[in-house]
Amino acid sequence: MRHFDVETLTPGRWRNGGGATREIASRPAGGEEFGWRASVADIDREGPFSVFPGVDRTFTLLAGDGVRLTCPGEFERLPARVGEPFAFSGDLSISAELPGGACRALNIMVRQGSWTARVERVAGRVAPPAGHAGVFYVLRGRWQTGGGDGRALESGQGVWWDEDDDAPGEGVAPLSPDAVALWADVTALGRLTGRA
């Protein structure tokens, strides 16, 4: 498992100036086209999301009063609340409204036809399956990673792993009664069908 703290990740400004992205992981590393990617976005003002053809996205609000996502003909003014994952196609033209001001969100993106991702809010121990990639992000409380390099994680911190990493063993467990986190389980489609 590789540890991260969002506040130490370098932000890159969006081309349209509406926010900044802090990349957690992009695999394969150094590839021109990612198979899967995890990042945290700081959304400063209302406007369009970037279109990512051939990519499935899962957007989860981390902080702020909410985001209204609108795609004409698909969905209208769908509210996003903290810790509530929302999946959609990156092919869609989506606009974001910020009724309560600036927000922060976790973005998980996977290449259609090659990868799949499931993001869920968790409050108990997470033991990632062997052969899966993933990201674990702490929303609140304290958590503990297992294994020889185990350490405590707090809000805004987390871990990520590749599908070829050794099985994470004991995984990540809550240390405080208020512990809540997001777990993105990312799987190569070949693994799901047994062809990998």
Side-chain angles (χ1 to χ4, degrees), residues 6-14 19-23 40 42 104:
V6 168
E7 297 307 325
T8 67
L9 300 176
T10 303
R13 293 298 301 178
W14 297 355
T21 295
R22 300 167 190 258
E23 186 173 273
V40 169
D42 292 307
R104 173 171 280 184

Side-chain angles (χ1 to χ4, degrees), residues 69-93:
L69 301 176
T70 304
C71 180
E74 295 289 334
F75 52 82
E76 297 289 337
R77 304 180 70 81
L78 183 71
R81 298 179 181 86
V82 171
E84 179 184 300
F86 174 58
F88 57 92
S89 172
D91 295 285
L92 299 176
S93 297

Side-chain angles (χ1 to χ4, degrees), residues 26-91:
S26 184
R27 313 308 283 170
E32 290 186 15
E33 285 199 354
F34 60 81
W36 69 270
R37 181 175 183 240
S39 62
V40 169
D42 292 307
I43 308 171
D44 300 334
R45 65 175 189 238
E46 299 179 345
F49 276 11
S50 295
V51 175
F52 285 90
V55 170
D56 287 327
R57 302 181 64 174
T58 304
F59 174 95
T60 309
L61 190 68
L62 300 176
D65 289 336
V67 179
R68 291 193 183 102
L69 301 176
T70 304
C71 180
E74 295 289 334
F75 52 82
E76 297 289 337
R77 304 180 70 81
L78 183 71
R81 298 179 181 86
V82 171
E84 179 184 300
F86 174 58
F88 57 92
S89 172
D91 295 285

Side-chain angles (χ1 to χ4, degrees), residues 1-4 9 23-27 29 36 38 133-137 158-163 165:
M1 286 187 172
R2 299 156 178 87
H3 295 80
F4 67 86
L9 300 176
E23 186 173 273
I24 296 170
S26 184
R27 313 308 283 170
W36 69 270
V135 177
F136 184 91
Y137 181 99
V159 290
W160 68 273
W161 55 94
D162 274 327
E163 73 276 12
D165 288 343

